[in-house]
Amino acid sequence: MKRELEISIYGAEQICASCVNLPSSKDTYEWLQAALKRKFPDQDFKIHYYDIFEANYDEDKNAFCKRVIEEDLFYPVVVIDDEIIGEGNPKLKLIYEEFERYGYNSAQ
């Protein structure tokens, strides 16, 4: 049996300086959530949004927020199972492939 994936989206209200003309981190989170629910219907997963400038979460989430800022990562940063899957303008195809690698079945 596959385990339920947790997807973390790290970003900020302010759009990344290198990501001008792209959707905001929050918009990307909402778009990604909808796309994943359509692609993998009736399959449970968790998706969370973390504002990197709030950093009022658990120790691991706060540390990653700090990492995004200190390493100048392009946000939003999409993380699955502690691995960065995309940043700035995440590619949906790569995220889908990661889900399938964990045993999720896409809708036809």
Side-chain angles (χ1 to χ4, degrees):
M1 181 172 185
K2 70 177 182 279
R3 66 181 174 91
E4 183 179 60
L5 281 183
E6 181 176 341
I7 304 96
S8 299
I9 312 295
Y10 293 87
E13 283 188 38
Q14 179 183 354
I15 294 177
C16 172
S18 299
C19 302
V20 176
N21 297 323
L22 293 177
S24 71
S25 296
K26 193 75 163 190
D27 288 341
T28 300
Y29 158 74
E30 291 169 353
W31 162 77
L32 186 56
Q33 183 176 34
L36 290 169
K37 285 182 179 180
R38 273 192 312 275
K39 184 74 171 178
F40 303 101
D42 303 318
Q43 297 173 72
D44 293 331
F45 61 88
K46 294 177 184 170
I47 184 167
H48 301 282
Y49 176 78
Y50 300 98
D51 188 306
I52 60 174
F53 296 112
E54 295 291 320
N56 194 15
Y57 313 108
D58 67 36
E59 187 177 335
D60 291 337
K61 302 300 184 206
N62 288 344
F64 197 86
C65 288
K66 185 177 179 181
R67 177 180 170 197
V68 171
I69 295 167
E70 288 178 350
E71 294 181 16
D72 289 325
L73 298 176
F74 299 127
Y75 48 87
V77 179
V78 178
V79 177
I80 297 176
D81 202 29
D82 296 326
E83 182 180 342
I84 296 175
I85 304 302
E87 58 178 294
N89 187 17
K91 305 295 182 227
L92 197 53
K93 181 180 178 185
L94 295 176
I95 296 168
Y96 287 165
E97 288 171 358
E98 192 69 12
F99 264 65
E100 290 168 352
R101 188 170 77 86
Y102 280 92
Y104 284 74
N105 299 309
S106 62
Q108 301 302 330

